[in-house]
């Protein structure tokens, strides 16, 4: 990953050393794609709750890095019960790719479950942050 990753959350920690959108990785271009899919600029929002070994492994920093590379906005926080909660918004195909990365998590994480619910309204976030909201 490019940018200010920390605590082992760099792109080299990804399986096979792949970066999101890297050559041959089927990444999403910044310009999006044409075709019969959603209209360009259309956004969806979801709330994800992840269970398993998801705290103490750099999950929030991993999440922020993946989101920023994919152009997904929102926030992530640790919950008192040991889960991680993510609210994320973006173009549908990018949110789907984001969810794929969240199911995997960073090295050391074990995602035992992921609960997803759509958010009725898409918040007007302009970046992805680590929060304690």
């Amino acid at each position: 990953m490019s940018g200010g990753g920390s605590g082992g959350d760099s792109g080299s920690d990804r399986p096979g050393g792949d970066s999101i959108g890297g050559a041959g990785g089927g990444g999403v271009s910044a310009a999006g794609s044409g075709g019969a899919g959603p209209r360009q600029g259309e956004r969806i929002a979801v709330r994800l709750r992840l269970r398993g070994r998801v705290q103490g492994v750099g999950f929030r920093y991993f999440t922020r890095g993946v989101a920023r590379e994919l152009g997904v906005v929102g926030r992530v926080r640790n919950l008192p019960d040991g889960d991680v909660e993510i609210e994320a918004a973006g173009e549908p195909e990018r949110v789907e790719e984001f969810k794929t990365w969240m199911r995997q998590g960073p090295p050391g994480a074990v995602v035992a479950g992921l609960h997803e619910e759509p958010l009725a309204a898409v918040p007007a976030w302009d970046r992805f942050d680590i929060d304690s909201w």
Side-chain angles (χ1 to χ4, degrees):
M1 266 201 252
S2 62
S6 65
D9 289 327
S10 69
S12 62
D13 290 339
R14 298 192 192 288
D18 293 339
S19 291
I20 295 172
V28 179
S29 71
S33 60
R39 291 179 305 219
Q40 186 171 359
E42 180 180 344
R43 291 170 29 126
I44 62 168
V46 296
R47 178 177 294 123
L48 308 174
R49 186 173 181 134
L50 293 92
R51 290 189 161 82
R53 187 177 353 148
V54 293
Q55 289 191 20
V57 293
F59 210 105
R60 292 174 298 161
Y61 296 95
F62 170 83
T63 300
R64 182 178 63 186
V66 169
R68 288 179 176 177
E69 283 198 31
L70 291 174
V72 171
V73 296
R75 55 194 183 177
V76 59
R77 70 174 174 162
N78 285 340
L79 297 175
D81 65 1
D83 290 355
V84 169
E85 184 175 67
I86 302 166
E87 292 181 340
E91 294 176 5
E93 65 276 3
R94 292 184 182 232
V95 171
E96 287 303 315
E97 186 173 356
F98 176 77
K99 290 188 302 187
T100 298
W101 282 101
M102 295 307 100
R103 286 181 188 99
Q104 176 182 311
V110 177
V111 178
L114 184 149
H115 173 76
E116 174 183 354
E117 65 180 272
L119 297 178
V122 177
W125 296 310
D126 61 354
R127 64 180 184 255
F128 198 96
D129 288 315
I130 296 171
D131 252 347
S132 59
W133 78 95

